[in-house]
Amino acid sequence: MQVGFSAVTSHLSWLVAPFQIWSNRTACRSWKHPYGARLSFSVFRGRVATFWHSWKQQKLVYSNRRCLCSSLSTSSSPLEKAEGTRVKRRQDYKPPQFLVDQVKLKFILDPSDTRVLTKLNVRFNTTAYGACDTSNLYLDGDSEMIQLVPNSLKVDGRTLEQGKDYQVSKTNLIINSMDGSGNGVLVEFQVSLNPSKNTALMGLYLSKNNFFTQCEAEGFRRITFFPDRPDVMSIYEVTLVGSRQDYPVLLSNGDCVESGVCSDEKYHYAVYRDPFRKPSYLFALVAGNLVHLEDSFVTMSGKKVTLRIYVQHGNLPKATFAMECLKQAMKWDEEQYGREYDLDTFNIVAVDDFSMGAMENKSLNIFNSKYVLANPETATDSDFEAIQAVVAHEYFHNWTGNRVTLRDWFQLSLKEGLTVFREQEFTADMTNRAVKRISDVMRLRTAQFPQDAGPMAHPVRPESYIEINNFYTVTIYEKGAEVIRMLRNLLGPKGFRKGCDLYFERYDGMAVTCDDWLSAHQDANPHVDLTQFRLWYSQAGTPQLSASTEYDASKSVLYLHLEQFIPPTPSQLLKEPMLIPIKVGILDRHGNSVLVDTGDGNAVETKVLDMKEFEQTFTFYRVPPNSVLSMLRGFSAPVKFSWKHQQSLDDLIFLMEKDKDEFNRWDAAQTVTLEYILQVANQLLDETCTLQQVASRVPAPSKAVLNAFQTILLDESLEHRFRSTMFVLPSELFVAEWMKPIYPDAVHLARLHLKRELASYLKRSLWSTFRKLEKELEGEHRLDSESRGKRALKNVCLEYLCCSQDPDALSVALEHFRKANNMTDALACLNILSAYGKEQGEVALAEFYRKWEHEYLVLDKWFRVQALVPSKDTLHRIQTLVESKSFDIKNPNNVYALIGGYALQNPYAFHLKDGSGYRFIADKILELDKINPQVAARIASCFTVWQKLEPNLRSLMQKQLERLFLRDDLSKDVFEVVNKSLTC
């Protein structure tokens, strides 16, 4: 209770501070927040609400802990368990005591007994610590994975004796009494590995009898002993020795400087040198029987770079698109950021067994196969777009992550958030900018906003962690990218480019922090004060922005009153006001743009307002009566926005149809449909009823809304892809975030009801649009942007028609499934039939499997379709599939598609009233934890929502969390998720 009491007492002092200031004031007319914001009654009221919320949270924490403690007999208490797991804190950072200037590695590759000969040129870090006589050298290492070969450890040629000169623990190799003068010494040793036993896919492992590595974040310590931290940057030389027959391809970072046949002609070798200093997490090795596609790129300085993509035999034709994407990314990075590739070769390798999407190892990117391999028969339009984005993302890391890297893992968003932003801008330039922005915001709202409001909430720059793998999150990536976007909004494109240029120039070859990134932009743009903007890196939570307006008709002046509130999050109850860039436009009643004039002499169609206070008022001049504000254009800041007085339906429909900003047109449609779904859901709650009963009990959607959707559907001036996006209703996960508590079944029924109402009203228009697009798409499959947009709209029309249970539409869907000449149409029909046509769905699933059972990436799609079937019987289907010959629980793609799809993306099927879905997932988490803890922890995140659920489901999910928590053999990865879920 001490933790909760101290937190609440500190919050009480914050709450009563206004009264203290008020009583001590003399001539002051108001009291102010440190940032200058006048604290009105409404802000104080917000603080009261925050205090009450915090008190309830702390009370719940104590209740959970007490409950758990009482249920334990011989096991340790939750607090003891947590204390037994080491927490790393940003404030405890210290520079490395020893630096490694050069690393030489020699790998003698064998599936069960790989030998690694390591030579490290080590010196004491006198710059940070000054000179000393001697100091112990601590090298990280996982002794369960790597074994030090006896009598192999030497320092400057002298063999060391274990126990006397060095010790090996579970996590370290400690060499006693190393030279502390700063003079370099040579440390040599040999270790042995068993890659065939490495199911965690971290370190050196086997996939399809080929060798691969994954070292980010802390996998290098599973390969050899080393100071495995990002701020130890070294020059690497790597020699690979392997069987010529089994491993004809030998790859590592840098350029190959030597290769040949060994004295035993069964073996060959290759030597790679990377001239650029890099941290150990960027080390990579690949060896196997692979084939490659080769091309080249000439940089802006005229250097020719050899490009190769390595794949398994038979997959070479599927690598062509990825190669084109790579060349596009290289050209774009030169044009937009002036960044040129710096080596003679760039390699990409595709692997089937990979826990992540891809990895940016210097010059040797290792990819999950799903983000490399594609042709129209096996990959959807979405797959092609994902490949384009991921290839670009990993290439862009060459500068934002590799050449300039991280001081420590707390700065992870410095490379990931920045690179996601660069990837988003690249993809927007290559495709449809508005649709890309909408897609990014949909992911932010459905995944990151809930994380910000849950037990795993953390700042973009975290303050602590138990397992760093748990912080590869949507907050680090997506919110981190939004922070970069806001910075560009504040500085403008030219100012942002100046800051980036200075950042690369100043910190090339260094390991830096988020503060260094902001300092470069501040120094390049001295006219802008970024002091307050730094809070975006240190404060967790999604700011809630509310607005109201006043209009003075006599002066044609519009006043916009804004308030911001940042809810309390775990470990952060007190919040300061954020600097929020708000892009605003004004439309007159005819839909014409009104110049936004704030009196600064710069009237423009879209203006960026810098909100800095808890409360702030902006004044617009020469505004016609009855004008409508277009707020947060392009989603200029990651906030939850609402009007104090609910925006009228007429205004929302007006914005849907007239706004010049396409994002805001979509957002207005989302608001309209969200409000209706919530209205219906709140009338249903925990009642069990059919859709027919729902329709008879709730009001129909407004005719004005239905007509607005019809106008959009038939508006040929709009791009097809945008029109299809306008018909994507708010997801059940997003709708649930607006419900307290959450009733998943009610949300599902309400959303499905609206979809059927739209389908019924628009039936004739849907059929006409479908037939028109069907005719236009006849013939050879095309991958251009216009054809992708037409396919998207055509399939949306068919989905709505089938949703209405139109038997003709279901027959057409089955017919189109069978005759489809591309995976986009085939998979769209498969999803439609599985969701809305029970018998046709089973037929289509069986036919799909027979056709694609030997294409492992296509089977992942088959798994995912079934995981997402919105049915209370889906759990039984999943239980059967995990036992099938086609499913491999050791393969992350299989797990994410089937188990992850069910638990994380299908709330209607997952939240069963008897808790059987929860029990099944908890069982799978325990099974996965023994195989791949990183994957297990990602699946475990499905339980973080438990406190928001209705009482029955909340109790059932809590029971499974407690069951997991009481296990003594949980990995750090899963323990951290479970512990935070229960105690935050």
Side-chain angles (χ1 to χ4, degrees):
M1 185 59 180
Q2 186 177 4
V3 174
F5 181 74
S6 63
V8 171
T9 53
S10 68
H11 213 85
L12 273 170
S13 65
W14 171 66
L15 182 67
V16 301
F19 296 111
Q20 295 170 345
I21 297 172
W22 184 269
S23 64
N24 293 331
R25 71 191 179 112
T26 53
C28 297
R29 291 178 61 85
S30 65
W31 44 273
K32 292 191 174 185
H33 188 274
Y35 276 110
R38 186 176 182 276
L39 294 179
S40 68
F41 176 74
S42 61
V43 175
F44 175 73
R45 181 180 59 198
R47 288 190 162 187
V48 172
T50 298
F51 164 73
W52 179 244
H53 175 85
S54 303
W55 168 257
K56 290 194 295 182
Q57 287 291 99
Q58 294 297 332
K59 185 177 179 182
L60 181 60
V61 167
Y62 177 65
S63 174
N64 290 337
R65 286 174 171 168
R66 182 177 60 184
C67 177
L68 279 173
C69 287
S70 66
S71 68
L72 294 169
S73 53
T74 58
S75 301
S76 59
S77 74
L79 292 176
E80 289 170 345
K81 271 194 170 191
E83 290 165 2
T85 306
R86 183 186 172 197
V87 178
K88 297 180 181 178
R89 305 184 189 281
R90 186 175 69 90
Q91 65 186 18
D92 295 335
Y93 171 82
K94 293 180 181 178
Q97 281 196 313
F98 285 87
L99 302 174
V100 183
D101 293 318
Q102 188 172 41
V103 180
K104 289 189 176 181
L105 301 170
K106 183 176 182 180
F107 289 81
I108 303 173
L109 297 166
D110 181 89
S112 59
D113 186 21
T114 289
R115 297 299 175 107
V116 186
L117 288 72
T118 304
K119 294 183 180 181
L120 308 177
N121 289 99
V122 178
R123 60 182 170 88
F124 189 73
N125 189 357
T126 55
T127 302
Y129 296 100
C132 63
D133 292 334
T134 61
S135 180
N136 293 345
L137 170 62
Y138 288 79
L139 301 178
D140 300 304
D142 184 342
S143 61
E144 293 183 1
M145 293 299 302
I146 58 176
Q147 301 296 320
L148 189 66
V149 175
N151 302 319
S152 67
L153 180 53
K154 299 178 182 179
V155 174
D156 281 342
R158 181 175 68 88
T159 301
L160 303 189
E161 181 180 340
Q162 186 170 2
K164 176 184 176 183
D165 300 315
Y166 73 91
Q167 298 84 39
V168 179
S169 71
K170 186 176 180 180
T171 57
N172 292 107
L173 167 61
I174 307 166
I175 303 177
N176 304 330
S177 304
M178 292 285 287
D179 182 359
S181 66
N183 296 322
V185 297
L186 178 63
V187 177
E188 303 174 78
F189 53 87
Q190 185 181 161
V191 301
S192 63
L193 316 173
N194 186 349
S196 65
K197 297 290 187 181
N198 187 1
T199 61
L201 311 183
M202 183 65 70
L204 180 65
Y205 66 94
L206 290 180
S207 174
K208 305 291 192 295
N209 299 316
N210 298 318
F211 286 93
F212 298 93
T213 56
Q214 172 57 31
C215 293
E216 189 178 354
E218 296 178 338
F220 194 71
R221 65 188 62 188
R222 294 164 67 92
I223 294 174
T224 190
F225 293 103
F226 192 79
D228 189 12
R229 45 189 289 172
D231 56 354
V232 176
M233 301 179 70
S234 315
I235 302 294
Y236 281 71
E237 181 181 293
V238 180
T239 301
L240 306 177
V241 180
S243 164
R244 294 172 66 189
Q245 178 179 343
D246 297 331
Y247 317 116
V249 172
L250 301 173
L251 302 172
S252 192
N253 308 95
D255 294 321
C256 184
V257 296
E258 183 183 350
S259 62
V261 178
C262 299
S263 55
D264 183 343
E265 294 188 358
K266 291 182 180 180
Y267 297 90
H268 67 143
Y269 72 93
V271 181
Y272 286 84
R273 288 192 187 131
D274 185 352
F276 298 98
R277 302 177 77 89
K278 66 174 178 285
S280 54
Y281 82 85
L282 290 172
F283 169 79
L285 173 162
V286 172
N289 188 4
L290 304 168
V291 293
H292 72 269
L293 176 68
E294 184 169 319
D295 207 328
S296 63
F297 179 82
V298 179
T299 69
M300 59 186 180
S301 68
K303 181 175 69 174
K304 184 177 181 180
V305 180
T306 300
L307 312 176
R308 297 190 185 97
I309 298 181
Y310 289 84
V311 298
Q312 292 186 40
H313 289 268
N315 285 331
L316 207 54
K318 298 179 185 177
T320 304
F321 181 75
M323 181 65 81
E324 291 305 310
C325 295
L326 174 58
K327 291 190 290 184
Q328 290 172 347
M330 297 177 80
K331 185 174 185 294
W332 187 89
D333 209 18
E334 290 183 346
E335 294 173 348
Q336 299 297 319
Y337 288 88
R339 297 299 103 195
E340 184 177 3
Y341 186 65
D342 49 14
L343 289 171
D344 294 331
T345 55
F346 185 88
N347 296 317
I348 289 175
V349 183
V351 55
D352 297 342
D353 300 296
F354 203 67
S355 297
M356 301 182 179
M359 179 61 208
E360 72 267 20
N361 317 295
K362 181 70 179 183
S363 76
L364 180 56
N365 288 185
I366 299 179
F367 275 61
N368 190 315
S369 295
K370 68 183 289 187
Y371 294 115
V372 173
L373 306 178
N375 62 30
E377 291 74 34
T378 60
T380 64
D381 291 339
S382 296
D383 292 331
F384 280 103
E385 291 172 5
I387 289 169
Q388 186 176 54
V390 175
V391 167
H393 180 102
E394 304 309 329
Y395 173 76
F396 295 154
H397 267 311
N398 189 60
W399 278 94
T400 49
N402 296 3
R403 286 286 289 264
V404 184
T405 196
L406 315 176
R407 186 195 73 175
D408 54 69
W409 290 116
F410 298 101
Q411 319 297 329
L412 180 58
S413 191
L414 177 60
K415 75 180 184 76
E416 295 301 348
L418 175 54
T419 305
V420 167
F421 170 75
R422 278 153 48 77
E423 162 218 313
Q424 289 174 350
E425 286 298 288
F426 165 78
T427 308
D429 283 345
M430 297 297 114
T431 56
N432 180 304
R433 179 164 289 274
V435 171
K436 173 59 178 170
R437 187 67 187 132
I438 291 168
S439 172
D440 294 335
V441 174
M442 287 173 69
R443 175 163 168 75
L444 189 80
R445 286 177 172 175
T446 56
Q448 197 282 318
F449 280 11
Q451 185 174 87
D452 249 355
M456 294 299 288
H458 60 85
V460 169
R461 181 186 59 202
E463 294 298 324
S464 65
Y465 64 83
I466 294 174
E467 173 51 60
I468 183 56
N469 286 327
N470 286 336
F471 278 91
Y472 285 77
T473 64
V474 284
T475 297
I476 295 293
Y477 283 69
E478 271 69 26
K479 187 174 181 178
E482 294 300 314
V483 172
I484 304 298
R485 187 177 298 277
M486 284 190 292
L487 182 62
R488 191 184 65 167
N489 287 336
L490 289 168
L491 301 178
K494 291 183 179 178
F496 181 71
R497 173 63 188 270
K498 283 172 60 180
C500 289
D501 288 345
L502 181 58
Y503 174 71
F504 295 128
E505 177 187 345
R506 179 182 288 177
Y507 298 117
D508 187 12
M510 298 174 64
V512 299
T513 66
C514 297
D515 289 328
D516 294 324
W517 159 258
L518 290 176
S519 294
H521 284 276
Q522 181 68 85
D523 293 346
N525 299 273
H527 62 287
V528 179
D529 185 1
L530 296 176
T531 303
Q532 188 180 357
F533 185 77
R534 294 172 185 266
L535 288 172
W536 281 101
Y537 284 96
S538 59
Q539 286 193 163
T542 304
Q544 297 177 4
L545 189 66
S546 62
S548 62
T549 60
E550 290 180 61
Y551 183 68
D552 186 338
S554 65
K555 298 179 181 179
S556 296
V557 171
L558 179 68
Y559 300 97
L560 173 63
H561 305 296
L562 295 174
E563 291 183 14
Q564 61 166 297
F565 169 69
I566 303 97
T569 52
S571 303
Q572 279 190 337
L573 301 183
L574 308 182
K575 308 285 186 178
E576 303 292 349
M578 309 285 254
L579 171 54
I580 304 175
I582 303 168
K583 281 189 176 182
V584 176
I586 303 176
L587 301 169
D588 66 21
R589 290 314 300 184
H590 303 291
N592 301 313
S593 293
V594 175
L595 294 182
V596 182
D597 181 2
T598 56
D600 60 358
N602 182 28
V604 291
E605 284 193 9
T606 299
K607 198 173 190 70
V608 179
L609 310 177
D610 296 347
M611 185 181 185
K612 299 179 180 181
E613 304 173 358
F614 278 126
E615 279 188 332
Q616 201 163 341
T617 296
F618 295 92
T619 304
F620 306 120
Y621 300 94
R622 292 188 290 278
V623 179
N626 299 317
S627 293
V628 178
L629 279 174
S630 173
M631 296 290 295
L632 280 171
R633 283 187 159 179
F635 201 65
S636 57
V639 301
K640 290 183 176 180
F641 175 77
S642 63
W643 291 95
K644 275 193 172 181
H645 308 290
Q646 189 175 21
Q647 198 171 16
S648 72
L649 185 61
D650 287 343
D651 280 353
L652 287 169
I653 293 172
F654 174 82
L655 291 171
M656 278 179 65
E657 296 179 338
K658 303 290 187 181
D659 203 327
K660 307 303 181 185
D661 183 84
E662 288 187 318
F663 174 86
N664 274 12
R665 293 187 69 171
W666 169 82
D667 202 30
Q670 290 285 291
T671 302
V672 168
T673 51
L674 173 65
E675 289 177 356
Y676 180 79
I677 293 169
L678 286 171
Q679 177 189 356
V680 173
N682 284 323
Q683 292 185 44
L684 301 178
L685 293 184
D686 202 25
E687 297 181 29
T688 301
C689 54
T690 65
L691 272 174
Q692 288 74 19
Q693 292 171 326
V694 172
S696 65
R697 292 175 45 192
V698 301
S702 162
K703 282 284 183 68
V705 171
L706 297 173
N707 287 331
F709 275 101
Q710 177 152 305
T711 299
I712 291 165
L713 178 63
L714 300 178
D715 188 350
E716 295 288 346
S717 69
L718 297 174
E719 290 191 354
H720 297 89
R721 187 66 180 274
F722 177 73
R723 287 152 67 192
S724 72
T725 304
M726 289 290 285
F727 276 81
V728 178
L729 300 179
S731 71
E732 292 178 29
L733 294 172
F734 179 68
V735 175
E737 284 300 305
W738 296 85
M739 252 192 136
K740 293 181 181 180
I742 299 170
Y743 286 81
D745 287 7
V747 171
H748 172 76
L749 288 172
R751 184 178 183 274
L752 186 56
H753 168 70
L754 173 58
K755 202 166 190 176
R756 286 194 174 180
E757 290 289 308
L758 281 167
S760 177
Y761 188 82
L762 301 175
K763 184 174 182 178
R764 182 176 298 177
S765 298
L766 289 167
W767 271 118
S768 65
T769 303
F770 173 81
R771 293 300 185 193
K772 181 176 182 294
L773 293 170
E774 179 185 39
K775 186 174 182 179
E776 291 177 1
L777 287 166
E778 285 179 353
E780 184 180 354
H781 176 270
R782 295 179 296 276
L783 199 55
D784 59 274
S785 180
E786 183 180 3
S787 297
R788 292 202 301 265
K790 289 180 177 179
R791 277 191 292 275
L793 183 56
K794 181 192 74 170
N795 289 325
V796 161
C797 290
L798 185 58
E799 179 183 359
Y800 270 85
L801 290 166
C802 289
C803 172
S804 67
Q805 297 296 291
D806 182 340
D808 291 337
L810 290 168
S811 297
V812 168
L814 184 59
E815 176 191 351
H816 275 62
F817 166 77
R818 287 171 168 160
K819 72 177 186 180
N821 66 349
N822 64 87
M823 183 55 69
T824 303
D825 287 342
L827 193 66
C829 292
L830 185 64
N831 272 299
I832 291 168
L833 292 168
S834 297
Y836 305 117
K838 188 171 183 180
E839 293 180 5
Q840 299 96 325
E842 294 303 321
V843 170
L845 284 167
E847 292 180 9
F848 190 90
Y849 180 79
R850 285 195 296 271
K851 183 175 181 179
W852 299 110
E853 63 178 309
H854 300 300
E855 287 277 354
Y856 54 92
L857 289 179
V858 179
L859 274 189
D860 285 333
K861 303 179 192 301
W862 183 73
F863 284 133
R864 190 170 184 275
V865 167
Q866 294 176 88
L868 297 183
V869 172
S871 167
K872 296 300 182 182
D873 297 326
T874 296
L875 175 60
H876 176 70
R877 181 191 297 271
I878 304 296
Q879 290 171 323
T880 302
L881 287 170
V882 295
E883 302 299 329
S884 69
K885 66 176 183 178
S886 300
F887 181 82
D888 181 3
I889 199 167
K890 294 181 180 179
N891 180 270
N893 285 356
N894 280 187
V895 173
Y896 294 145
L898 187 60
I899 298 175
Y902 171 70
L904 296 168
Q905 295 180 290
N906 191 351
Y908 181 68
F910 177 50
H911 295 291
L912 299 173
K913 293 186 178 181
D914 63 355
S916 54
Y918 307 155
R919 287 193 299 274
F920 170 75
I921 292 299
D923 290 342
K924 290 303 162 188
I925 290 168
L926 291 172
E927 184 178 355
L928 282 164
D929 203 28
K930 303 299 182 186
I931 299 168
N932 190 325
Q934 189 174 346
V935 173
R938 292 186 185 182
I939 301 300
S941 66
C942 70
F943 289 146
T944 60
V945 72
W946 72 277
Q947 295 182 42
K948 300 178 182 179
L949 296 171
E950 55 90 359
N952 175 59
L953 295 177
R954 182 191 311 149
S955 174
L956 293 169
M957 188 174 279
Q958 181 182 9
K959 183 178 179 181
Q960 295 307 315
L961 272 169
E962 291 175 357
R963 173 188 162 208
L964 291 171
F965 187 88
L966 297 177
R967 292 288 293 246
D968 292 326
D969 55 349
L970 278 186
S971 67
K972 290 191 301 180
D973 308 63
V974 174
F975 171 79
E976 183 170 26
V977 175
V978 172
N979 182 55
K980 284 186 174 181
S981 296
L982 283 170
T983 60
C984 288

